[in-house]
Amino acid sequence: MSTEALNKDQAKDIISRAVHPYLCKFHEAKNEDFDRFTVEMDDETQEFEIAPATWQNKSALIERLDMVRTRLVGRGGSIGDYTA
C-alpha cells in the first residue's frame, strides 16, 4: 500500500470521490488543516473526524475511507466505486 504524502487538495479530492454521489464539506479554520468533514446524505448528515496525520498519508487515508464508506452504506447510503 502506498505511503505517498498528500497535500490538502489531493486529500480532499480523494475523500470527495470516495463518498460520491453525496456532498462532502470540509471543516477548517482559515489557514488551518481540516480535521473533520461532513457528508450530506439524502436525509441526514454524517460527521467524520480525521486527523491531519491521517489524510496526509495516502495509505492511512484509504484505510479510514473504507470505514467511512462502510458507515455510509450501513446508514442506507448508495455510493459508487472509486479509485484513490
Side-chain angles (χ1 to χ4, degrees), residues 17-72:
R17 286 187 287 123
V19 302
H20 182 78
Y22 302 114
L23 178 63
C24 186
K25 292 186 178 178
F26 299 93
H27 303 276
E28 58 192 319
K30 189 173 183 178
N31 298 321
E32 295 287 325
D33 289 335
F34 66 92
D35 60 357
R36 62 191 171 93
F37 62 94
T38 53
V39 177
E40 295 184 2
M41 298 175 68
D42 297 331
D43 56 353
E44 67 181 297
T45 300
Q46 293 287 313
E47 185 171 316
F48 300 94
E49 291 185 16
I50 185 164
T54 300
W55 64 253
Q56 291 171 1
N57 178 285
K58 188 172 184 178
S59 61
L61 177 61
I62 300 305
E63 186 176 312
R64 177 74 173 116
L65 288 174
D66 285 343
M67 291 185 284
V68 167
R69 289 167 56 85
T70 298
R71 181 169 154 192
L72 294 176

